[in-house]
Amino acid sequence: MNNKKVFSFHMFLQTLKQTRLAGFIMMAVITLISVVPIISSLSYIKEYKQVNNVGGISGNYFLVLVFIIVVPVISLIVWSFLNKRSSSDFYHSIPYTRLCIYLSKTAAILTWIAGILVVSYVSQAVLFMANRQYFNVDYATMFRMYLSIFICSLLCMAIINVSISITGNILSNICVTGLIMFLPRFIALMVTELTVFHGETYMISNSGVGLLDSSNNMIVGWVFSVFDIYNGPSGIADMVLSLTSNLYTLVLALIYIALGALLFVKRKSETAGKAANGKVLPMIIRTLIGFSIAFIGVMIAYTSIDNDETIAVVVLFIVSALVVFVYECIVSKKMNVIKQCIPSILLGYVLAVVIGTGANSFGKYEASYEPDASKLAYVSIQPMDMYYASDNGYFSSISSKVQFTDEEILKYVSEKFGAYKDKCISNGVHNYIYNGRGSVTNYKVGFRQNGVTHYRRIQLTDSDANKLSSLLKKDEKFVKAYMDLPDSDKISVNYITGNMEDSDCKDIYETITSEIKQIGFEKWYQTVTSDVDTFLMSVRFSKKGVTYDMVLPISKNMPQSYNKYIGIRNEYAIRNNEKELGTMSDILKQYLNDSSRTWDKYTSGYETLSAVLVYNDTRTYINMDSYVRKDEEKAQKVLNGLIESLDKKNFNKNINADNPCIVLNYEKYNPDNGETVLADAIIQLNGYTRTEDYISDIDYY
């Protein structure tokens, strides 16, 4: 179509040609960044025969460069003619309507954005498919990641379109773009921070409600995520996959594109070279610039507890005035601008005080929120102190993903939050209640009411936490998440206690997942939420775009997995560490002959041997020197039994998970080449059924 009134294909092509150098450079850079990490990781993955899980989001954070750098650079190049009077006059004189110019050039920018993202996505997909045996890729989620970046880029482009339509030089272009993009969200952030301030001990940091949620505008959500200003339990993945965030950002972008078209059509050519045309618009820009800094001063005044922050507030108000003055001097290229700056500075002060006071009032209102169980749609619950909890721990995040609608759960959590909030208020909302582990557990709770989620912190005693746990376990989705673990071909092993092949780890994992179904949810839940850490396996997998680390305890409560693990570990030692097993036997013999000298030799040098008694999922470290000297008779029998097992290499057998066993860990470091040799053996002596059979109730240290 080459309609000079609406869209010109010729102008579209000419704009692409004008920006081809920048466009192709950006495309090459983004594509290289997208594929180089994959290529560089292949040699390591192939060497160790690992399978890498690719969720499609965390590995593509670099894509933010598209809307942070690529879009601004290309957009400013495309619209640079608007900042020069001669070129602006030329474009306004050619036989094309302004709407046609706007739409044709906007289409060219969009083409570069889409082209760069498509080339990057295809390049990654081709690499992953060519090496599919080494990668488990969630292509659908990866596509959604690219789509969200495109929407963010669309919004960034739209905001720049608006700013260039009302300003006439590069500084004002940048300042107005920043104001439009970040000022509304900056105000929302300050409102949220005031809300948290007024309920510090029971509020969750960054707990913006409704439109105040930073993730609604995905550009701001990405920027704020760098500073950990985000609500989602799974971090940025929640925003990328959120239909609300994507639609909100898309609609906002379309509104700004339409607004940009309207303003561009009405733009006067003489705006080129000026901060903005007329008197009102430049004043608005100056006012907002001054307001942005003065507003920080007002926030400091409202959030000071005991200290007098008057000096800080005064300094920020002075800085606000100076920034406005400097800005006006630069854009107007005049020094005598004080007279025209004073109204903007004073108006900025008034706005800062008025909006700051309103924000403070809303903060108090939101902090006073108390959930009404009868009106709640659902609650989400995330343990904050769980033993295996981490930023991306699977089990710690399960309850945050489930929407609990059971009336008993809603009522119980609401009552407990109300009681905790009252306790915080009586204690002082800025004085944290002691959070001793073992006495209380912290939870992040999301109360969904009237279409808005209110995030709050509650503390529960052990008995209350157990009561809550018993209620959650009635929820089918909660149970299913704990019981239905990913298949072995969808995981990669991060870590496992002891030495074995990666294929052996997968074998153990399959046994665990199978046995979980046999022992049932109650026993598995008790095991995985306990402090069991004698033997552990950590695996990584991706689910709905989120990459999780999942720590699986190998417990006596799961005898099949326990035996499988110990059998594989011992089989590996017998097959691969024959020399080291002989050395371990020799060291034990030396302990029987001269324990003190042996202790000095094998605990502080390049060669060490340690012994751990494992019983009932607990560990007792044995000081071999004291053991031999203070418990000589028992030590003689135990060490001789261990020596015989090592010499005969007959310790790889089915063990009784209810009986104790000894774990011997051997390590030898070679300082010449920096290599370390590791070997271990897990031995259960016949007839030794209690800890007292191995060690006496004496202090070995």
Side-chain angles (χ1 to χ4, degrees), residues 286-475:
R286 291 193 300 269
T287 299
L288 293 178
I289 291 174
F291 160 80
S292 302
I293 301 172
F295 188 60
I296 298 175
V298 175
M299 292 299 98
I300 291 176
Y302 276 122
T303 55
S304 60
I305 302 174
D306 300 318
N307 301 327
D308 185 359
E309 302 290 353
T310 303
I311 295 178
V313 175
V314 171
V315 168
L316 282 167
F317 271 53
I318 293 173
V319 170
S320 170
L322 289 174
V323 170
V324 171
F325 176 74
V326 171
Y327 166 80
E328 188 60 24
C329 287
I330 294 174
V331 297
S332 66
K333 299 178 182 179
K334 299 177 183 178
M335 293 300 294
N336 187 22
V337 295
I338 295 178
K339 184 178 179 180
Q340 63 199 65
C341 286
I342 289 177
S344 299
I345 293 170
L346 294 177
L347 183 56
Y349 291 164
V350 172
L351 283 176
V353 173
V354 171
I355 295 177
T357 302
N360 187 58
S361 299
F362 179 83
K364 289 181 179 180
Y365 170 78
E366 174 60 21
S368 67
Y369 166 78
E370 291 191 11
D372 183 344
S374 63
K375 296 180 180 179
L376 289 175
Y378 63 82
V379 295
S380 62
I381 305 169
Q382 184 174 11
M384 301 173 70
D385 303 323
M386 190 173 175
Y387 185 70
Y388 293 129
S390 64
D391 288 343
N392 58 343
Y394 176 68
F395 293 115
S396 65
S397 66
I398 285 179
S399 57
S400 69
K401 299 292 186 182
V402 176
Q403 297 177 356
F404 297 99
T405 57
D406 181 79
E407 291 183 5
E408 193 174 359
I409 294 176
L410 301 180
K411 182 179 179 181
Y412 184 79
V413 175
S414 298
E415 290 175 352
K416 289 301 175 183
F417 169 70
Y420 176 64
K421 177 187 171 186
D422 292 342
K423 185 177 179 181
C424 289
I425 293 174
S426 63
N427 192 56
V429 293
H430 303 296
N431 300 317
Y432 279 89
I433 298 173
Y434 172 66
N435 174 16
R437 184 174 171 190
S439 59
V440 295
T441 302
N442 286 280
Y443 293 86
K444 176 182 177 180
V445 180
F447 297 96
R448 185 72 173 181
Q449 185 172 334
N450 298 327
V452 175
T453 304
H454 306 264
Y455 291 99
R456 297 293 186 269
R457 175 203 302 269
I458 62 172
Q459 282 186 357
L460 299 181
T461 63
D462 288 346
S463 59
D464 289 338
N466 290 334
K467 169 66 174 177
L468 176 62
S469 177
S470 65
L471 293 175
L472 299 185
K473 288 187 290 186
K474 297 177 182 179
D475 190 283

Side-chain angles (χ1 to χ4, degrees), residues 602-652:
Y602 292 107
T603 56
S604 58
Y606 292 126
E607 193 173 19
T608 62
L609 178 68
S610 63
V612 183
L613 179 67
V614 174
Y615 176 64
N616 201 26
D617 290 330
T618 61
R619 292 174 292 185
T620 302
Y621 291 90
I622 300 175
N623 181 308
M624 296 292 285
D625 177 41
S626 298
Y627 182 45
V628 172
R629 288 188 294 102
K630 296 182 179 181
D631 202 1
E632 184 177 357
E633 182 179 351
K634 189 166 291 184
Q636 288 274 351
K637 293 181 180 179
V638 171
L639 262 60
N640 279 322
L642 297 176
I643 291 168
E644 181 181 355
S645 296
L646 289 170
D647 289 342
K648 293 183 178 180
K649 298 179 180 56
N650 62 357
F651 54 87
N652 186 21

Side-chain angles (χ1 to χ4, degrees), residues 118-366:
V118 168
V119 170
S120 176
Y121 180 86
V122 171
S123 299
Q124 284 191 328
V126 168
L127 266 177
F128 286 137
M129 289 178 181
N131 299 276
R132 61 176 62 87
Q133 66 270 39
Y134 301 112
F135 294 100
N136 286 323
V137 183
D138 187 344
Y139 291 103
T141 300
M142 191 166 79
F143 174 78
R144 292 183 67 178
M145 171 68 173
Y146 274 84
L147 179 61
S148 74
I149 294 296
F150 177 78
I151 293 173
C152 288
S153 301
L154 187 67
L155 176 59
C156 181
M157 181 207 69
I159 291 174
I160 294 174
N161 284 4
V162 171
S163 71
I164 57 90
S165 296
I166 59 177
T167 59
N169 59 47
I170 189 67
L171 180 60
S172 55
N173 291 162
I174 295 172
C175 289
V176 172
T177 297
L179 288 171
I180 297 173
M181 191 174 295
F182 294 111
L183 184 57
R185 283 292 143 187
F186 173 69
I187 296 172
L189 174 63
M190 291 298 101
V191 174
T192 299
E193 290 304 311
L194 280 169
T195 303
V196 174
F197 172 78
H198 289 300
E200 187 173 348
T201 48
Y202 58 85
M203 295 294 295
I204 296 294
S205 180
N206 319 322
S207 54
V209 297
L211 291 176
L212 298 180
D213 187 343
S214 61
S215 69
N216 287 329
N217 183 324
M218 291 195 294
I219 288 183
V220 179
W222 274 106
V223 174
F224 282 3
S225 70
V226 175
F227 305 99
D228 198 27
I229 305 174
Y230 188 72
N231 295 335
S234 296
I236 208 71
D238 285 340
M239 179 184 74
V240 171
L241 300 176
S242 167
L243 181 61
T244 300
S245 296
N246 280 269
L247 284 178
Y248 179 94
T249 306
L250 178 60
V251 170
L252 194 61
L254 295 176
I255 291 173
Y256 277 129
I257 288 174
L259 179 61
L262 178 64
L263 294 172
F264 187 85
V265 168
K266 294 181 176 297
R267 188 183 193 275
K268 295 182 179 180
S269 182
E270 54 265 31
T271 304
K274 300 179 182 179
N277 203 31
K279 293 183 178 180
V280 176
L281 189 56
M283 181 179 176
I284 292 173
I285 296 173
R286 291 193 300 269
T287 299
L288 293 178
I289 291 174
F291 160 80
S292 302
I293 301 172
F295 188 60
I296 298 175
V298 175
M299 292 299 98
I300 291 176
Y302 276 122
T303 55
S304 60
I305 302 174
D306 300 318
N307 301 327
D308 185 359
E309 302 290 353
T310 303
I311 295 178
V313 175
V314 171
V315 168
L316 282 167
F317 271 53
I318 293 173
V319 170
S320 170
L322 289 174
V323 170
V324 171
F325 176 74
V326 171
Y327 166 80
E328 188 60 24
C329 287
I330 294 174
V331 297
S332 66
K333 299 178 182 179
K334 299 177 183 178
M335 293 300 294
N336 187 22
V337 295
I338 295 178
K339 184 178 179 180
Q340 63 199 65
C341 286
I342 289 177
S344 299
I345 293 170
L346 294 177
L347 183 56
Y349 291 164
V350 172
L351 283 176
V353 173
V354 171
I355 295 177
T357 302
N360 187 58
S361 299
F362 179 83
K364 289 181 179 180
Y365 170 78
E366 174 60 21

Side-chain angles (χ1 to χ4, degrees), residues 52 64 294 329:
N52 193 21
V64 298
C329 287

